[in-house]
Amino acid sequence: MFINKNKSRRKLLLYFICLSSSLLFICYYSIINIFQPFIPKVRIRPERKDPFKKIFISHYTTTYGKRTDSKSKLFSNNLENICALLDPEEYPYANAVFVSLIDLVHLPTLPNTNESYRKKYQSQFWLLHTEESPRKSYETVQLNDITDLDDWFNLTATLKPESDIHIQYKGYRIKPEIISFLEKKLNKTYPRTNFSQFILKQDFFEKTNSSYMKTLANVLSHEINLRQDHYANACPYTCNTPLSNDLTVYLQPYLKPRNFQMKNRNIVYIAWFVSNCNTHSNREEYVSKLRSQK
């Protein structure tokens, strides 16, 4: 019983790492194109013997009309050691399935049977992703009842802070419970507030007999360190942190002096950046009323 529980936790950990990396790639799509709904047709996948059993991920839907398949370059060279993509038509063979809600037409069913697909493939890990409002997200969905989505997905990735993966512009924030799970499973502390290195405790490899877990730990630690370094190098220019004094002095000759003459210091100036100016919620009318205020 203890061994089976450890195996299930191992699978959960691997699924999460691969899916979160996939999600990071998806977060960089910012322009929505007009597309036709895509429904994958199941295709038989020939058996292959790999020296290391990777986690296979399939994108059941397109992402804003863009197809993701086995030819897509989604993972870094490091993550390709443990993760691999399948074609959408091979989703029954995947360990984890990615669904973009704005592209979803309907969930898979089993032909010629009353059995539920989800009941037959209980071990599959499903992630629901959307960066749109509820009204926009369900434009292509064909469901008799929205409750059909209940108990189908293991993780959600949306703009809501309550999601397992809280999407933010050009990135995402992982739920603290998931981080705690990783810390407990890998016997290490994840750096939350600084750029310190992700270091596994020395006795981790001594206590772990599983070569699978050792490979996972190596790949994970290397990946997090790479991202920490990338983030540190990008700051302070993209992280809303003050510039250094040396840099401020260097830039001063290039900055034009700004002398604001404000007649009323109680006025606050606001700039609104928006891509959709004809919304169902009529938010543009609200902004218009704000502008008309004396």
Side-chain angles (χ1 to χ4, degrees):
M1 182 70 181
F2 180 74
I3 297 176
N4 291 335
K5 187 176 290 186
N6 279 341
K7 286 184 177 179
S8 63
R9 287 179 177 176
R10 252 177 255 155
K11 287 182 179 179
L12 176 62
L13 186 59
L14 282 169
Y15 297 167
F16 169 74
I17 294 168
C18 296
L19 281 170
S20 62
S21 300
S22 174
L23 180 62
L24 182 64
F25 178 84
I26 298 303
C27 282
Y28 279 83
Y29 290 121
S30 57
I31 300 177
I32 303 176
N33 299 317
I34 299 175
F35 59 88
Q36 295 296 324
F38 169 76
I39 305 174
K41 295 182 179 180
V42 177
R43 183 178 65 218
I44 297 177
R45 183 175 186 270
E47 292 186 8
R48 304 172 187 175
K49 293 184 178 180
D50 298 317
F52 182 84
K53 183 175 175 56
K54 295 183 178 182
I55 293 299
F56 292 116
I57 294 179
S58 175
H59 282 230
Y60 178 74
T61 64
T62 55
T63 305
Y64 291 114
K66 183 178 178 62
R67 175 186 171 94
T68 302
D69 53 30
S70 57
K71 297 179 181 178
S72 302
K73 177 64 177 177
L74 204 64
F75 303 118
S76 64
N77 293 333
N78 178 51
L79 283 177
E80 284 181 348
N81 291 314
I82 60 174
C83 305
L85 285 170
L86 299 182
D87 291 334
E89 295 80 8
E90 298 173 333
Y91 68 86
Y93 302 92
N95 302 107
V97 183
F98 186 97
V99 173
S100 171
L101 184 56
I102 194 173
D103 301 74
L104 177 65
V105 178
H106 58 70
L107 296 168
T109 56
L110 297 176
N112 304 323
T113 178
N114 293 326
E115 184 181 7
S116 166
Y117 174 92
R118 202 66 181 98
K119 186 175 182 180
K120 180 178 180 180
Y121 295 93
Q122 294 183 27
S123 62
Q124 274 191 331
F125 207 76
W126 284 68
L127 182 142
L128 180 70
H129 165 264
T130 181
E131 297 182 40
E132 303 296 332
S133 64
R135 180 179 179 86
K136 184 73 174 178
S137 296
Y138 296 99
E139 287 185 342
T140 61
V141 175
Q142 298 175 7
L143 292 174
N144 295 326
D145 192 340
I146 197 65
T147 58
D148 291 344
L149 295 173
D150 293 347
D151 301 322
W152 191 286
F153 296 95
N154 305 93
L155 287 177
T156 57
T158 74
L159 296 172
K160 293 188 67 174
E162 297 84 359
S163 295
D164 299 297
I165 302 174
H166 177 205
I167 297 175
Q168 301 170 340
Y169 284 106
K170 300 300 181 184
Y172 57 87
R173 187 185 300 275
I174 301 170
K175 212 172 186 178
E177 290 84 348
I178 298 178
I179 298 297
S180 299
F181 170 78
L182 293 174
E183 290 180 334
K184 184 177 180 181
K185 191 61 183 173
L186 292 179
N187 193 25
K188 44 72 62 187
T189 300
Y190 182 80
R192 289 175 169 82
T193 58
N194 54 43
F195 302 127
S196 58
Q197 292 291 298
F198 176 97
I199 302 175
L200 293 168
K201 295 182 179 179
Q202 293 296 326
D203 61 348
F204 174 78
F205 292 100
E206 297 176 2
K207 294 181 179 180
T208 304
N209 297 323
S210 170
S211 59
Y212 206 67
M213 282 298 293
K214 290 178 180 178
T215 302
L216 168 63
N218 278 324
V219 171
L220 177 61
S221 59
H222 182 60
E223 187 68 22
I224 291 181
N225 286 333
L226 286 176
R227 296 189 184 193
Q228 291 275 32
D229 291 341
H230 176 75
Y231 185 76
N233 291 332
C235 285
Y237 313 109
T238 60
C239 303
N240 295 327
T241 55
L243 298 176
S244 65
N245 291 332
D246 293 340
L247 187 58
T248 303
V249 172
Y250 174 79
L251 292 174
Q252 204 62 44
Y254 303 96
L255 301 177
K256 295 181 180 180
R258 297 181 298 175
N259 297 319
F260 292 111
Q261 296 181 356
M262 298 178 62
K263 295 180 179 179
N264 187 349
R265 292 190 175 274
N266 293 324
I267 295 178
V268 177
Y269 292 90
I270 302 174
W272 185 39
F273 296 86
V274 61
S275 59
N276 186 354
C277 298
N278 185 21
T279 63
H280 177 262
S281 63
N282 294 324
R283 62 187 179 189
E284 55 277 0
E285 291 186 12
Y286 178 77
V287 174
S288 179
K289 289 181 178 179
L290 282 178
R291 295 181 64 187
S292 64
Q293 295 294 318
K294 295 182 179 180

